[in-house]
Amino acid sequence: MTHYQCGSCSYQSDHLGEAQQHSYQTGHVCIGKNGAGPAGGKFGKARGVVKAGAGVLAATTIGVLAWKYKELQTKHEGLLSMAAGLVVQLAESTAENESLKSENDYLKSATGASKTLKSYDC
């Protein structure tokens, strides 16, 4: 009958030394069955501490990620409004550029050149 079973994987052993070796090599905790104590020695006691620490770490991580998400969301809102302003400026600039191009084309035409020359006649 198995006296020790790993709490993290399917490892089982009848011998305390083998269970302790498994705990040492993998960091897993072997739990004793039928009144046998934990095979991991100090690892057995540390398991509760690790679980509590993991819970605190998880809560802290979630809090930090939420804070960073909110910070990034705020920055992105500013970037989006800046990008919208740049798009409007680009559209205005393009419209002005088209207007200047049309005027330049007219001045290069025979009609535009004739009117320009006549305006300088004294």
Side-chain angles (χ1 to χ4, degrees), residues 60-108:
T60 303
T61 302
I62 290 169
V64 168
L65 290 175
W67 174 68
K68 281 293 190 184
Y69 174 77
K70 185 67 176 170
E71 183 180 333
L72 288 173
Q73 188 178 21
T74 303
K75 285 182 181 178
H76 284 153
E77 287 172 359
L79 290 175
L80 287 175
S81 65
M82 189 183 334
L86 290 173
V87 168
V88 169
Q89 286 180 355
L90 179 62
E92 290 172 351
S93 174
T94 302
E96 183 180 338
N97 191 22
E98 286 298 317
S99 173
L100 291 174
K101 185 176 183 259
S102 295
E103 183 180 351
N104 193 27
D105 289 343
Y106 171 75
L107 292 174
K108 288 181 183 178

Side-chain angles (χ1 to χ4, degrees), residues 27-48:
H28 296 170
V29 177
C30 290
I31 301 168
K33 292 183 170 184
N34 298 331
K42 62 181 177 182
F43 292 115
K45 293 176 184 174
R47 186 176 192 185

Side-chain angles (χ1 to χ4, degrees), residues 20-57:
Q20 285 177 335
Q21 184 67 25
H22 175 76
S23 293
Y24 177 74
Q25 289 175 342
T26 62
H28 296 170
V29 177
C30 290
I31 301 168
K33 292 183 170 184
N34 298 331
K42 62 181 177 182
F43 292 115
K45 293 176 184 174
R47 186 176 192 185
V49 174
V50 169
K51 281 185 178 180
V56 170
L57 180 62

